[in-house]
Amino acid sequence: MAKAYDRVSWSYLCILMRKMGFCEVWIDMIFRHISSNWYSLIVNGIRQDFFKSERGLTQGDPIYPSLFILCVEFLSKKLNDLNNRANFTGFYMNKHGPIINYLAFADDIILFSSGCRYSLVLLMQTLSKYESISGQQINKDKSVLAVAPNAQPEEVNRVMRITGINHKQFPIKYLGCPLYVGRKKISIFSEMIQKVVSKISGCQTKFLSTGGKVVLIKNVQMAIHTHLLAAIHPPKGVVVQIEKMLARFLWSGTIDKRKCHWAAWDSLCLPYNERGANIRNMQDICNDFTSKQWWNLRTGNSLWKMFCMSKYCQKSHPVIKNWYSGHSQSWHAMCLIKDSIDHHILWKVGRGDIAFWLDNWTDLSPLYKFLPAGTRPKNNKISEMIQQGQWMLEDWDRFLPEDVIECIHSFNTILQHDIPDRPIWNLSDQ
């Protein structure tokens, strides 16, 4: 970004800012700030003469992130406009799901496209146009090309010629998270294990007291892989191996020696009031992040939710969908935990778009739990169960207890069509 603001780049940036509604006074102020940068270096404690910058902003400049966002916003719009181009084939799981062209975090970006030659050419032309406008250059030496595992070698070579990016087999890494295909293997998470080993193998850790080792485990070891656990679950063998090393480090000061463990690791993970050391169990951390993913799936409105709904649920309610072989491990983890989490999501009825049987809106429990085993409830909305101010339960009410029926009839049947249904996390245990 440092060399992104020469005269040509600035002219394009001005056009972009005018389209976004910035006034000329603000644009001129930003230009003066960029074009009048002077620096002075301190050599051996003596300040040298000032010299004018010829590279624009540096990464430490406070205005740098804002202008970076303006430039990347241009790239975002151009990538999204590809969906409107004739004969461009984007990436999607099914025809009802969203078309995804890219995912980005700061300056780290993943681009998605089909293997069609025309689509790849359009994609590379968009990137070349962004390079000419912003002054940024794509580092193709650090970029990798990932294709389906069953792709033919000649297809891979064709894509490499068009993009100029080298192909790499899965797993690959993005933002420190391994991206893999198929079964989870311990080797994929070897770097995660190595980070734990490097932290507890230092000579300075030998002089720590038992309390100091506990603090190191809680505040350093768990923080190393927390961001990874938020995205994917490592195999059980990785969790067992890490916890075994942490236990050895706690009782012997090293991972190589075996000494008597005066308390089981599960006991150490208990809170203080239960005579534990309040060390977080990795499996509990995974379950906590999976619960958050389920909350985002049920209540959010993100691209991730639309993708998951189109891939795993289609038009069905996520509560009644199950995991099948071939689905992702993240969806598998959510399916394992959803029964213990979903009933804590209490819905405040607004316009009645939530499911009458499958969502918890009575604060008792989802109504399908009162139906006989094996009964598959319909995915009716609450608004569809009310006609002329009356509940239309048909013959389903014969399965419901009297207190549940009374609770249903106590609700106001006049829906508020201008207010959406609102989810609340209900902390009570039911």
Side-chain angles (χ1 to χ4, degrees), residues 4 29 38 67-68 75 78 155 237 257 259 298 375 385:
M29 181 175 59
W38 291 79
L67 296 182
F68 175 79
L75 175 62
K78 288 301 180 181
E155 293 293 326
K257 295 182 180 180
K259 287 189 177 181
R298 296 283 284 111
T375 303
M385 302 294 289

Side-chain angles (χ1 to χ4, degrees), residues 288-300:
D288 291 343
F289 282 121
T290 303
S291 301
K292 183 178 180 180
Q293 289 179 345
W294 183 255
W295 166 266
N296 293 333
L297 178 69
R298 296 283 284 111
T299 64

Side-chain angles (χ1 to χ4, degrees), residues 35 43 45 223 254 327 411 429:
S35 60
V43 181
T254 177
H327 288 174
F411 274 81
D429 294 329

Side-chain angles (χ1 to χ4, degrees), residues 192-387:
M192 177 179 174
I193 300 175
Q194 187 59 39
K195 285 183 178 180
V196 176
V197 174
S198 63
K199 287 294 181 180
I200 61 180
S201 298
C203 58
Q204 69 276 10
T205 60
K206 298 179 181 179
F207 304 101
L208 291 175
S209 63
T210 303
K213 295 173 186 176
V214 172
V215 172
L216 180 64
I217 291 174
K218 291 196 293 186
N219 297 307
V220 178
Q221 303 306 319
M222 292 302 155
I224 289 177
H225 40 257
T226 297
H227 72 284
L228 178 59
L229 301 181
I232 56 177
H233 290 191
K236 187 175 180 180
V238 173
V239 175
V240 172
Q241 190 171 347
I242 291 178
E243 291 181 346
K244 183 183 296 184
M245 290 189 298
L246 295 178
R248 286 185 181 179
F249 167 72
L250 178 62
W251 298 111
S252 63
T254 177
I255 62 175
D256 300 325
K257 295 182 180 180
R258 294 185 179 183
K259 287 189 177 181
C260 180
H261 293 193
W262 297 103
W265 182 258
D266 292 338
S267 300
L268 295 174
C269 294
L270 296 175
Y272 293 126
N273 57 3
E274 298 182 17
R275 298 183 179 181
N278 203 30
I279 299 176
R280 294 298 307 276
N281 187 289
M282 284 187 60
Q283 188 59 48
D284 292 340
I285 297 176
C286 292
N287 292 336
D288 291 343
F289 282 121
T290 303
S291 301
K292 183 178 180 180
Q293 289 179 345
W294 183 255
W295 166 266
N296 293 333
L297 178 69
R298 296 283 284 111
T299 64
N301 191 26
S302 62
L303 177 64
W304 174 81
K305 175 186 177 177
M306 292 187 291
F307 179 84
C308 290
M309 292 295 292
S310 64
K311 181 178 180 180
Y312 305 117
C313 303
Q314 288 82 39
K315 297 182 180 180
S316 302
H317 198 282
V319 170
I320 59 176
K321 295 297 291 186
N322 297 318
W323 178 84
Y324 298 101
S325 178
H327 288 174
S328 69
Q329 299 297 327
S330 297
W331 176 248
H332 186 204
M334 285 191 286
C335 289
L336 292 176
I337 204 171
K338 65 180 179 180
D339 290 337
S340 60
I341 295 299
D342 195 76
H343 70 277
H344 288 292
I345 303 177
L346 176 63
W347 292 87
K348 296 296 183 181
V349 181
R351 52 174 170 251
D353 291 335
I354 58 175
F356 178 84
W357 295 101
L358 301 173
D359 289 321
N360 180 21
W361 56 276
T362 63
D363 200 14
L364 297 176
S365 182
L367 299 181
Y368 78 93
K369 292 184 176 294
F370 299 103
L371 300 178
T375 303
R376 187 178 182 87
K378 297 180 180 179
N379 191 14
N380 298 108
K381 297 180 181 179
I382 290 182
S383 58
E384 298 173 349
M385 302 294 289
I386 299 176
Q387 294 183 7

Side-chain angles (χ1 to χ4, degrees), residues 20-170:
M20 298 179 69
F22 293 100
C23 64
E24 294 296 331
V25 176
W26 189 89
I27 296 175
D28 182 68
M29 181 175 59
I30 297 300
F31 173 73
R32 292 178 183 275
H33 180 78
I34 295 174
S35 60
S36 61
N37 282 343
W38 291 79
Y39 298 96
S40 176
L41 301 180
I42 297 177
V43 181
N44 296 329
I46 302 175
R47 185 182 297 275
Q48 305 299 313
D49 294 336
F50 281 85
F51 60 92
K52 185 175 176 58
S53 171
E54 297 180 356
R55 291 283 186 172
L57 298 180
T58 61
Q59 290 193 5
D61 196 296
I63 204 173
Y64 170 85
S66 299
L67 296 182
F68 175 79
I69 292 174
L70 289 176
C71 288
V72 177
E73 182 69 16
F74 171 79
L75 175 62
S76 173
K77 291 182 179 295
K78 288 301 180 181
L79 290 175
N80 289 330
D81 289 342
L82 290 177
N83 295 329
N84 301 324
R85 300 288 296 271
N87 299 326
F88 176 80
T89 305
F91 173 81
Y92 57 90
M93 295 303 302
N94 56 62
K95 61 181 180 181
H96 302 291
I99 299 177
I100 301 175
N101 289 342
Y102 73 97
L103 296 175
F105 181 84
D107 57 348
D108 295 319
I109 186 169
I110 297 181
L111 301 175
F112 298 90
S113 176
S114 65
C116 172
R117 177 182 177 82
Y118 183 75
S119 300
L120 293 173
V121 170
L122 286 178
L123 180 61
M124 299 309 297
Q125 289 177 351
T126 302
L127 296 179
S128 299
K129 186 175 183 180
Y130 174 73
E131 289 179 334
S132 63
I133 292 176
S134 68
Q136 291 182 297
Q137 299 294 320
I138 298 175
N139 192 336
K140 294 186 178 181
D141 293 332
K142 292 184 178 180
S143 303
V144 297
L145 172 68
V147 299
N150 57 353
Q152 298 298 322
E154 55 271 15
E155 293 293 326
V156 176
N157 293 331
R158 179 179 60 83
V159 177
M160 290 175 57
R161 287 195 303 269
I162 297 175
T163 60
I165 300 175
N166 293 325
H167 173 249
K168 185 177 181 180
Q169 297 284 350
F170 285 104

